[in-house]
Amino acid sequence: MEITFDNTYAKLPERFYSRVEPQPVADPKTVVVNEELARQLGFDASWLRSEAGAEFIVGNRLLDGSEPIALVYAGHQFGNWVPRLGDGRAVLVGEVVDEEGQRFDVQLKGSGRTPYSRQGDGRAPLGPVLREYLVAESMAALGIPTTRALAAATTGEKVLRERSLPGAVLVRVAKSHIRVGTFEYFASQGDAEALEVLVDYTLGRHYPQVEEGSSMDLLREVARRQATLVAKWQLLGFIHGVMNTDNMLVSGETVDYGPCAYMNEYDPQTVYSSIDRFGRYAYGNQPVIAQWNLAQFAQALMVGVDKEEREDFLEQAQAVIDEFPERFRIAFRQGMARKLGFEEYRDRDWPLMEDLLELMAENESDFTLTFRGLTEIVDGEQEVPAIFELPDAFDEWIERWRERLSEDSATEEERRRAMAVENPAFIPRNHLVAAALDDAVEEGDYERFHTLLEVLTEPFEYREEFEAFARPPKPEERVPATFCGT
Ligand code: AMP
Ligand code: MG
């Protein structure tokens, strides 16, 4: 098995990372492989399933051309400054360029201790590895920018948490792992030179359309991508759960699926993370937190700006931060218009949208099923599967919605098709994810995991035989919290 690595981050100054070796494990076994992504990146899926492939996944065997490094970064965790974090349980083994010229990091997560591990063991339990796999791949299928999962293997070793759990490693693929926290790290060291290198590198890698760009260009572009990213989360009911600045990638991809979850019934206060006691990262707070993170980003960038230009920078940066809520609002409302089958968003559509959200909150309506329910009835009065039936409380609103639709020229069929790709039937509901993980971790039984993965990778295609996967949890099935699982 040969892969052509083309490592660029490892050529940056030595203080950007530490050279590390993954720590070998006893008995690696591949448990899941992403065939499509493997093909895209030039990996042989059947090799990844083989013994040799398992050795690669866990880091026992490095491929030629691999230059394993752990990246350094800092960050604000739950608002508190942490001067040094870094890849404490992950190793970047190399970068690959796909057929379309897109560059990706290939990272092993859970591959052992690094200089950034602090008290941690550098390992990952199987449950969180499988959770990240499911949610990341579901996000990708839903069209949300995200890191991907290439493969996972168990290590044959136990990791000790509240109890002893099977260990595993995830092969994570990302456009890069450069975080807001990476900039914060160098800023906190007063290392203007490193910031300059990092700004140039990041612009070149993620924003090549910006020629001879500056820190201000980078801030502006990152803010744009964050606004669209968080709008997409909101439009699908996704709650990240740990929006710390070290978990915000400047590429605009979603990263670090720890205590994340999708909302069932619509309630902006929804929090899943067991460690988020004050609801800092609740669903409804995500746009505000993204803005807060961008302010930290701007402050970090400023350290790299020449003294005499700082005042200008500050003024422009403030403008970028100030306009973020409006940027988000536009992205959210335009997305909402698409969800409701409108050809475009008009300002006077907002009251209709607001009323729908209010109605959903009052009726504790399932977020996903409500929009899919509207999709099912948009092309007439036909029968819909029972789970998509909307309660009578929506009748009056539906009348108003239909009036609005009649102002557009699209046919019912076109509308139906447009809405069906905005409003999924299947999302990774927490109770389903928990059940799949439970079978795998407790029984070594992956059937539920694989079925769920299959369902989630075609989220817009409702299939009757998978009805149970579209349903919200019954009261006794609810899983109200997720754990970081570090
Ligand atoms: P996360 O909560 O996954 O975003 O991680 C926050 C920080 O803790 C990062 O620097 C991680 O590398 C580090 N970390 C998390 N879990 C472990 C672990 N088991 N061993 C070492 N470091 C860890
Ligand atoms: Mg993290």
mmCIF file of all heavy atoms in Angstrom, residues 46-70:
data_model
loop_
_atom_site.group_PDB
_atom_site.id
_atom_site.type_symbol
_atom_site.label_atom_id
_atom_site.label_comp_id
_atom_site.label_asym_id
_atom_site.label_seq_id
_atom_site.Cartn_x
_atom_site.Cartn_y
_atom_site.Cartn_z
ATOM 1 N N SER A 46 -9.787 -2.264 0.975
ATOM 2 C CA SER A 46 -9.614 -3.643 1.455
ATOM 3 C C SER A 46 -8.296 -3.775 2.232
ATOM 4 O O SER A 46 -8.209 -4.560 3.176
ATOM 5 C CB SER A 46 -9.700 -4.658 0.309
ATOM 6 O OG SER A 46 -8.766 -4.334 -0.683
ATOM 7 N N TRP A 47 -7.317 -2.973 1.851
ATOM 8 C CA TRP A 47 -6.072 -2.959 2.640
ATOM 9 C C TRP A 47 -6.332 -2.405 4.047
ATOM 10 O O TRP A 47 -5.841 -2.939 5.045
ATOM 11 C CB TRP A 47 -5.002 -2.118 1.933
ATOM 12 C CG TRP A 47 -3.726 -2.009 2.729
ATOM 13 C CD1 TRP A 47 -2.726 -2.938 2.799
ATOM 14 C CD2 TRP A 47 -3.335 -0.923 3.582
ATOM 15 N NE1 TRP A 47 -1.734 -2.504 3.645
ATOM 16 C CE2 TRP A 47 -2.076 -1.263 4.140
ATOM 17 C CE3 TRP A 47 -3.917 0.302 3.929
ATOM 18 C CZ2 TRP A 47 -1.389 -0.416 5.019
ATOM 19 C CZ3 TRP A 47 -3.238 1.138 4.804
ATOM 20 C CH2 TRP A 47 -1.987 0.785 5.341
ATOM 21 N N LEU A 48 -7.141 -1.341 4.134
ATOM 22 C CA LEU A 48 -7.457 -0.771 5.450
ATOM 23 C C LEU A 48 -8.135 -1.797 6.351
ATOM 24 O O LEU A 48 -8.018 -1.753 7.574
ATOM 25 C CB LEU A 48 -8.342 0.470 5.310
ATOM 26 C CG LEU A 48 -7.636 1.748 4.830
ATOM 27 C CD1 LEU A 48 -8.648 2.818 4.411
ATOM 28 C CD2 LEU A 48 -6.707 2.305 5.911
ATOM 29 N N ARG A 49 -8.839 -2.756 5.705
ATOM 30 C CA ARG A 49 -9.508 -3.810 6.488
ATOM 31 C C ARG A 49 -8.542 -4.922 6.893
ATOM 32 O O ARG A 49 -8.840 -5.711 7.782
ATOM 33 C CB ARG A 49 -10.639 -4.439 5.660
ATOM 34 C CG ARG A 49 -11.824 -3.544 5.524
ATOM 35 C CD ARG A 49 -13.125 -4.340 5.343
ATOM 36 N NE ARG A 49 -14.209 -3.392 5.313
ATOM 37 C CZ ARG A 49 -14.559 -2.699 4.237
ATOM 38 N NH1 ARG A 49 -13.927 -2.901 3.091
ATOM 39 N NH2 ARG A 49 -15.529 -1.806 4.288
ATOM 40 N N SER A 50 -7.420 -4.992 6.227
ATOM 41 C CA SER A 50 -6.469 -6.085 6.477
ATOM 42 C C SER A 50 -5.700 -5.844 7.780
ATOM 43 O O SER A 50 -5.796 -4.772 8.384
ATOM 44 C CB SER A 50 -5.476 -6.184 5.321
ATOM 45 O OG SER A 50 -4.576 -5.077 5.376
ATOM 46 N N GLU A 51 -4.900 -6.838 8.139
ATOM 47 C CA GLU A 51 -4.084 -6.707 9.345
ATOM 48 C C GLU A 51 -3.122 -5.524 9.226
ATOM 49 O O GLU A 51 -2.951 -4.739 10.161
ATOM 50 C CB GLU A 51 -3.269 -7.989 9.562
ATOM 51 C CG GLU A 51 -3.658 -8.744 10.810
ATOM 52 C CD GLU A 51 -3.002 -10.111 10.845
ATOM 53 O OE1 GLU A 51 -1.782 -10.162 11.033
ATOM 54 O OE2 GLU A 51 -3.734 -11.122 10.660
ATOM 55 N N ALA A 52 -2.509 -5.431 8.060
ATOM 56 C CA ALA A 52 -1.561 -4.331 7.833
ATOM 57 C C ALA A 52 -2.273 -2.983 7.904
ATOM 58 O O ALA A 52 -1.742 -2.007 8.446
ATOM 59 C CB ALA A 52 -0.887 -4.497 6.474
ATOM 60 N N GLY A 53 -3.482 -2.951 7.382
ATOM 61 C CA GLY A 53 -4.269 -1.716 7.415
ATOM 62 C C GLY A 53 -4.592 -1.315 8.840
ATOM 63 O O GLY A 53 -4.506 -0.139 9.215
ATOM 64 N N ALA A 54 -4.962 -2.312 9.652
ATOM 65 C CA ALA A 54 -5.260 -2.040 11.062
ATOM 66 C C ALA A 54 -4.024 -1.485 11.771
ATOM 67 O O ALA A 54 -4.109 -0.577 12.603
ATOM 68 C CB ALA A 54 -5.763 -3.305 11.750
ATOM 69 N N GLU A 55 -2.854 -2.025 11.414
ATOM 70 C CA GLU A 55 -1.599 -1.538 12.007
ATOM 71 C C GLU A 55 -1.360 -0.071 11.641
ATOM 72 O O GLU A 55 -0.840 0.722 12.427
ATOM 73 C CB GLU A 55 -0.400 -2.371 11.505
ATOM 74 C CG GLU A 55 -0.503 -3.853 11.786
ATOM 75 C CD GLU A 55 0.224 -4.255 13.063
ATOM 76 O OE1 GLU A 55 0.876 -3.401 13.681
ATOM 77 O OE2 GLU A 55 0.120 -5.443 13.437
ATOM 78 N N PHE A 56 -1.755 0.284 10.418
ATOM 79 C CA PHE A 56 -1.625 1.684 9.999
ATOM 80 C C PHE A 56 -2.595 2.575 10.784
ATOM 81 O O PHE A 56 -2.225 3.632 11.292
ATOM 82 C CB PHE A 56 -1.897 1.817 8.492
ATOM 83 C CG PHE A 56 -2.243 3.222 8.085
ATOM 84 C CD1 PHE A 56 -1.258 4.197 8.005
ATOM 85 C CD2 PHE A 56 -3.571 3.593 7.823
ATOM 86 C CE1 PHE A 56 -1.578 5.512 7.668
ATOM 87 C CE2 PHE A 56 -3.893 4.895 7.483
ATOM 88 C CZ PHE A 56 -2.895 5.858 7.406
ATOM 89 N N ILE A 57 -3.844 2.136 10.904
ATOM 90 C CA ILE A 57 -4.873 2.957 11.548
ATOM 91 C C ILE A 57 -4.486 3.319 12.986
ATOM 92 O O ILE A 57 -4.642 4.466 13.413
ATOM 93 C CB ILE A 57 -6.248 2.236 11.526
ATOM 94 C CG1 ILE A 57 -6.728 2.092 10.075
ATOM 95 C CG2 ILE A 57 -7.285 2.992 12.359
ATOM 96 C CD1 ILE A 57 -7.939 1.184 9.908
ATOM 97 N N VAL A 58 -3.974 2.340 13.707
ATOM 98 C CA VAL A 58 -3.636 2.616 15.116
ATOM 99 C C VAL A 58 -2.271 3.280 15.282
ATOM 100 O O VAL A 58 -1.916 3.721 16.371
ATOM 101 C CB VAL A 58 -3.681 1.343 15.995
ATOM 102 C CG1 VAL A 58 -5.081 0.761 16.003
ATOM 103 C CG2 VAL A 58 -2.656 0.323 15.514
ATOM 104 N N GLY A 59 -1.491 3.328 14.199
ATOM 105 C CA GLY A 59 -0.177 3.966 14.284
ATOM 106 C C GLY A 59 0.971 3.007 14.552
ATOM 107 O O GLY A 59 2.098 3.434 14.761
ATOM 108 N N ASN A 60 0.692 1.695 14.540
ATOM 109 C CA ASN A 60 1.777 0.714 14.742
ATOM 110 C C ASN A 60 2.753 0.717 13.577
ATOM 111 O O ASN A 60 3.921 0.400 13.730
ATOM 112 C CB ASN A 60 1.203 -0.698 14.883
ATOM 113 C CG ASN A 60 0.685 -0.965 16.279
ATOM 114 O OD1 ASN A 60 0.557 -0.031 17.072
ATOM 115 N ND2 ASN A 60 0.373 -2.211 16.571
ATOM 116 N N ARG A 61 2.230 1.050 12.390
ATOM 117 C CA ARG A 61 3.048 0.990 11.192
ATOM 118 C C ARG A 61 2.853 2.296 10.427
ATOM 119 O O ARG A 61 1.740 2.680 10.089
ATOM 120 C CB ARG A 61 2.563 -0.181 10.338
ATOM 121 C CG ARG A 61 3.088 -0.193 8.914
ATOM 122 C CD ARG A 61 2.123 -0.970 8.030
ATOM 123 N NE ARG A 61 2.130 -2.388 8.380
ATOM 124 C CZ ARG A 61 2.521 -3.345 7.537
ATOM 125 N NH1 ARG A 61 2.918 -3.055 6.327
ATOM 126 N NH2 ARG A 61 2.492 -4.599 7.918
ATOM 127 N N LEU A 62 3.950 2.971 10.174
ATOM 128 C CA LEU A 62 3.850 4.224 9.421
ATOM 129 C C LEU A 62 4.124 3.957 7.948
ATOM 130 O O LEU A 62 4.966 3.126 7.606
ATOM 131 C CB LEU A 62 4.856 5.239 9.967
ATOM 132 C CG LEU A 62 4.510 5.831 11.341
ATOM 133 C CD1 LEU A 62 5.680 6.646 11.887
ATOM 134 C CD2 LEU A 62 3.255 6.688 11.277
ATOM 135 N N LEU A 63 3.411 4.621 7.103
ATOM 136 C CA LEU A 63 3.645 4.465 5.667
ATOM 137 C C LEU A 63 4.843 5.315 5.256
ATOM 138 O O LEU A 63 5.168 6.314 5.905
ATOM 139 C CB LEU A 63 2.394 4.902 4.890
ATOM 140 C CG LEU A 63 1.165 4.015 5.077
ATOM 141 C CD1 LEU A 63 -0.066 4.667 4.454
ATOM 142 C CD2 LEU A 63 1.399 2.635 4.455
ATOM 143 N N ASP A 64 5.467 4.938 4.161
ATOM 144 C CA ASP A 64 6.594 5.726 3.653
ATOM 145 C C ASP A 64 6.146 7.160 3.374
ATOM 146 O O ASP A 64 5.065 7.369 2.832
ATOM 147 C CB ASP A 64 7.111 5.120 2.337
ATOM 148 C CG ASP A 64 7.861 3.824 2.597
ATOM 149 O OD1 ASP A 64 8.201 3.566 3.775
ATOM 150 O OD2 ASP A 64 8.097 3.070 1.625
ATOM 151 N N GLY A 65 6.973 8.087 3.733
ATOM 152 C CA GLY A 65 6.658 9.490 3.445
ATOM 153 C C GLY A 65 5.881 10.165 4.559
ATOM 154 O O GLY A 65 5.621 11.359 4.522
ATOM 155 N N SER A 66 5.511 9.376 5.562
ATOM 156 C CA SER A 66 4.784 9.924 6.700
ATOM 157 C C SER A 66 5.753 10.690 7.608
ATOM 158 O O SER A 66 6.873 10.254 7.839
ATOM 159 C CB SER A 66 4.158 8.753 7.456
ATOM 160 O OG SER A 66 3.407 9.217 8.532
ATOM 161 N N GLU A 67 5.317 11.866 8.071
ATOM 162 C CA GLU A 67 6.132 12.634 9.028
ATOM 163 C C GLU A 67 5.252 12.977 10.212
ATOM 164 O O GLU A 67 4.633 14.038 10.240
ATOM 165 C CB GLU A 67 6.628 13.937 8.381
ATOM 166 C CG GLU A 67 7.635 13.758 7.273
ATOM 167 C CD GLU A 67 7.957 15.091 6.611
ATOM 168 O OE1 GLU A 67 8.885 15.775 7.080
ATOM 169 O OE2 GLU A 67 7.274 15.451 5.638
ATOM 170 N N PRO A 68 5.150 12.067 11.174
ATOM 171 C CA PRO A 68 4.188 12.267 12.254
ATOM 172 C C PRO A 68 4.513 13.462 13.152
ATOM 173 O O PRO A 68 5.638 13.569 13.642
ATOM 174 C CB PRO A 68 4.252 10.955 13.037
ATOM 175 C CG PRO A 68 5.549 10.333 12.674
ATOM 176 C CD PRO A 68 5.890 10.791 11.297
ATOM 177 N N ILE A 69 3.541 14.324 13.325
ATOM 178 C CA ILE A 69 3.715 15.485 14.206
ATOM 179 C C ILE A 69 2.442 15.703 15.028
ATOM 180 O O ILE A 69 1.347 15.355 14.610
ATOM 181 C CB ILE A 69 4.029 16.792 13.427
ATOM 182 C CG1 ILE A 69 2.986 17.063 12.335
ATOM 183 C CG2 ILE A 69 5.427 16.740 12.823
ATOM 184 C CD1 ILE A 69 3.181 18.396 11.597
ATOM 185 N N ALA A 70 2.637 16.285 16.210
ATOM 186 C CA ALA A 70 1.512 16.743 17.024
ATOM 187 C C ALA A 70 1.547 18.264 16.990
ATOM 188 O O ALA A 70 2.602 18.869 17.211
ATOM 189 C CB ALA A 70 1.640 16.227 18.456
#
